[in-house]
Amino acid sequence: MAAAQLTPDHLAERHRPTLDQALEAIRTRAYWSPHPEHPKAYGENGSLNAADGHAAHQATLNTRFELDQPGTDGWTGGEVSPYGPALGVEYPHVDVDVLLPAMRTGLAAWRDAGAETRALVCLEVLARISARTHEFAHAVMHTSGQAFMMALQAGGPHAQDRGLEAVAYAYAEQTRTPGEAEWSKPQGKRDPLELRKSFTPVGRGVSLLVGCNTFPTWNGYPGLFASLATGNAVLVKPHPRAVLPLALTVRIAREVLAEAGFDPNLVALAVERPGEGIAKTLAVRPEIRIIDYTGSTSFGDWLEQNARQAQVYTEKAGVNTVVVDSTDDYKGMLSNLAFSLSLYSGQMCTTPQNLLIPRDGISTDAGHKSYDEVVTDLAAAVDGLLGDDARANALLGALVNPDVKARLEAAAELGEVALSSREIANPDFPDAVVRTPLMVKLDGSKPEAEAAYMSECFGPVSFAVAMDSTDDALELLRRTVREKGAMTVGAYTTSADVERAVEEVCLEESAQLSLNLTGGVYVNQTAAFSDFHGSGGNPAANAALCDSAFVANRFRVVEVRRPA
């Protein structure tokens, strides 16, 4: 192996201050980010500006994506942008019987490097990803269907923040125990018993990251960097429709590992051929000791039940609910909800689905509003937000796959349509499938409505559920979270008693709650270093991004005792 170009001293000089700031941020939970959100912040100090990022993306299309991985036995690809164009990128297909043993070869040196060096190598990977944020934005946009600005922010700096957050938690947990200790037990008149002890964090082995279609980097980086920073190798298995962002990530990680003197095969890519379904095969391999997964409940449940040899972290699906009891900012509430329902065409695991509204209406600063008025006014707020097609395209993006379109069309038959979905043309991408949100009225007292509001309908679909009372809404909220899970809960109320009641439901059922959001913070957005994404305590996910539990069981501490 070539001599290291990135020495520990170089890495510490570049990145130790950032690591220290990240450690302070997870302690205080205050706002902090080293990754700028504004597109114009890039273009200096080696980072790609908008034009260069677009050119780099274009240069990748219709090429073979070389990685020089062991076990490459062919090439595969087939990604088609939700905006229409085929990407034309071919990726190496690997024989895992060759690749997995090769991935274990560098584990001892990676373990011996220690927690700090591993963390700093991860920060160098993140810094190089950050410098190419504009390139990643195009890759995320054309695999997920996110609009460009969302792809740049959520797929770029926000994803990088989540990766850095995971590194900070990993470092904190690994250094909680000292590396060495002198132990002396008094023996009375006899000499004390004395031992010299060492404590080494040891990764579990090879970690499998099963990527998702909608947020390949945002959902992928926490598990990738948590496992790598805790001493594991990481095999990245992207969603077949969203390979490019994670392939770029793997390439950068391999380059950094090699330059730092480590085996690049500590990070590798496994892309499946059409219909191959290698995630199930990989998940039960004895070499796989950790699995990170974001996606459908059915496969997440399968992983939890069948990948017994691995520590499995899942983010699945839930039914996100907003309880509307009362508000002192009716216009602000409507505006906030309209944006939450519209952003990325509702294709976020945090987007509200069920809006529970008392059938007798709510009290507001604009007077009493009936159930029908609230629903009509919310529909008008969505229409107003998306009335301009250019603005609508910038907020909605494109439907990520045909399944979302099919669910949207079927949902219109579930009840009375309060807000029809309309088709919007994208002048830059005529093949993009762009649809505004659909809102359907349901009667919460009717058993036939339950099948709709107790199931996740992923995409731009919401249900305005008429409830007999706020108390009934809280009981339905409790049952929904307990039985179906929720990544987010929202509530609007001017009553201290209702606020306490909804908070109690969320504490008991372990759901993250946002109260009375009327400004520029939305229920479906979370900030790294401060907000927890999911709780790990209800059926929607068994892990939270990011807390100590997300990293602590990716390694074990091995002790060696010697006579002093």
Side-chain angles (χ1 to χ4, degrees):
M1 188 174 295
Q5 303 169 41
L6 293 171
T7 67
D9 287 344
H10 290 152
L11 289 167
E13 182 180 353
R14 292 185 192 182
H15 302 301
R16 183 69 218 206
T18 303
L19 178 59
D20 289 339
Q21 288 178 287
L23 292 166
E24 179 67 5
I26 63 172
R27 186 188 69 81
T28 65
R29 316 307 295 180
Y31 171 77
W32 176 74
S33 172
H35 304 114
E37 292 181 314
H38 199 283
K40 292 183 179 178
Y42 300 91
E44 297 180 357
N45 301 318
S47 64
L48 299 181
N49 62 24
D52 290 340
H54 181 258
H57 172 70
Q58 290 297 119
T60 303
L61 303 181
N62 302 305
T63 64
R64 280 192 168 178
F65 198 95
E66 300 282 354
L67 282 175
D68 193 28
Q69 292 184 158
T72 298
D73 60 7
W75 296 87
T76 188
E79 291 159 290
V80 176
S81 169
Y83 290 93
L87 301 193
V89 184
E90 287 190 310
Y91 304 95
H93 183 274
V94 294
D95 180 345
V96 294
D97 288 326
V98 176
L99 179 62
L100 286 171
M103 293 186 71
R104 293 188 55 83
T105 301
L107 282 173
W110 189 233
R111 175 201 67 212
D112 294 344
E116 180 174 11
T117 294
R118 287 194 294 271
L120 296 176
V121 168
C122 288
L123 264 62
E124 176 67 20
V125 175
L126 284 165
R128 295 194 189 185
I129 291 171
S130 178
R132 295 167 63 176
T133 289
H134 273 284
E135 180 184 359
F136 272 83
H138 289 284
V140 170
M141 174 183 177
H142 286 290
T143 52
S144 71
Q146 294 175 33
F148 178 77
M149 187 56 69
M150 184 178 183
L152 186 139
Q153 293 182 339
H158 297 171
Q160 296 152 23
D161 282 349
R162 282 296 183 191
L164 175 55
E165 177 186 48
V167 174
Y169 270 102
Y171 177 82
E173 289 304 309
Q174 290 173 99
T175 56
R176 187 180 300 280
T177 302
E180 294 183 344
E182 301 292 335
W183 184 84
S184 179
K185 179 181 179 180
Q187 291 269 82
K189 294 182 179 180
R190 290 178 291 170
D191 290 340
L193 297 175
E194 295 184 338
L195 292 175
R196 181 163 45 89
K197 303 181 181 184
S198 65
F199 304 94
T200 304
V202 178
R204 288 183 172 270
V206 179
S207 177
L208 173 66
L209 169 63
V210 183
C212 71
N213 195 172
T214 48
F215 289 89
T217 56
W218 198 98
N219 278 111
Y221 283 4
L224 191 162
F225 286 101
S227 283
L228 195 60
T230 49
N232 302 281
V234 183
L235 179 58
V236 177
K237 205 297 293 182
H239 191 284
R241 292 193 184 102
V243 179
L244 183 55
L246 290 178
L248 290 168
T249 302
V250 168
R251 177 185 275 172
I252 291 170
R254 291 174 62 85
E255 290 170 354
V256 171
L257 285 163
E259 290 177 30
F262 298 103
D263 190 336
N265 296 320
L266 288 167
V267 178
L269 185 72
V271 182
E272 58 191 299
R273 295 188 175 107
E276 188 176 6
I278 61 172
K280 270 193 174 182
T281 303
L282 288 170
V284 295
R285 296 271 307 207
E287 302 96 329
I288 300 299
R289 306 305 305 278
I290 302 167
I291 298 173
D292 287 281
Y293 168 76
T294 300
S296 70
T297 296
S298 59
F299 190 56
D301 289 345
W302 185 91
L303 287 171
E304 292 170 359
Q305 294 161 11
N306 291 277
R308 296 293 191 180
Q309 84 293 348
Q311 185 71 26
V312 179
Y313 300 88
T314 59
E315 181 192 313
K316 298 175 287 188
V319 177
N320 300 320
T321 300
V322 177
V323 175
V324 182
D325 169 74
S326 54
T327 179
D328 57 8
D329 184 359
Y330 187 60
K331 183 178 179 181
M333 180 189 79
L334 295 175
S335 176
N336 193 279
L337 285 173
F339 188 92
S340 295
L341 295 173
S342 302
L343 184 62
Y344 185 32
S345 301
Q347 297 171 123
M348 304 172 70
C349 62
T350 49
T351 300
Q353 174 179 299
N354 292 345
L355 310 174
L356 309 186
I357 306 167
R359 68 178 72 252
D360 291 336
I362 66 172
S363 62
T364 82
D365 58 317
H368 186 271
K369 299 291 182 180
S370 69
Y371 164 83
D372 285 331
E373 286 177 310
V374 173
V375 176
T376 299
D377 290 346
L378 179 55
V382 174
D383 274 340
L385 178 67
L386 303 176
D388 177 75
D389 283 3
R391 177 178 173 82
N393 274 305
L395 282 175
L396 295 170
L399 299 189
V400 67
N401 59 51
D403 293 340
V404 176
K405 181 172 179 284
R407 277 193 296 272
L408 171 63
E409 293 170 347
E413 306 300 320
L414 296 175
E416 179 187 346
V417 173
L419 173 64
S420 297
S421 176
R422 68 183 179 92
E423 183 175 352
I424 292 180
N426 186 315
D428 297 320
F429 300 100
D431 293 330
V433 179
V434 184
R435 298 289 188 276
T436 62
L438 171 80
M439 189 187 308
V440 177
K441 289 183 177 180
L442 296 175
D443 188 334
S445 66
K446 299 292 180 64
E448 59 267 25
E450 184 170 323
Y453 65 68
M454 286 295 284
S455 300
E456 186 197 32
C457 190
F458 184 77
V461 176
S462 61
F463 300 115
V465 186
M467 304 300 300
D468 289 338
S469 66
T470 295
D471 286 343
D472 288 333
L474 293 177
E475 281 308 305
L476 178 55
L477 169 65
R478 182 188 298 278
R479 185 161 70 91
T480 302
V481 177
R482 181 176 293 174
E483 295 179 12
K484 302 298 181 179
M487 295 299 294
T488 59
V489 173
Y492 291 90
T493 184
T494 57
S495 163
D497 289 340
V498 172
E499 184 172 321
R500 281 193 296 271
V502 71
E503 188 173 354
E504 188 63 24
V505 170
C506 290
L507 289 170
E508 291 179 357
E509 303 303 330
S510 195
Q512 311 294 20
L513 171 64
S514 297
L515 285 164
N516 297 318
L517 298 182
T518 57
V521 176
Y522 304 95
V523 67
N524 43 349
Q525 296 175 319
T526 59
F529 309 107
S530 186
D531 295 324
F532 293 108
H533 176 72
S535 71
N538 68 63
N542 73 2
L545 304 179
C546 181
D547 60 8
S548 296
F550 186 69
V551 300
N553 214 13
R554 295 172 189 263
F555 70 95
R556 309 310 299 165
V557 177
V558 177
E559 176 184 357
V560 177
R561 303 189 295 180
R562 297 179 176 86

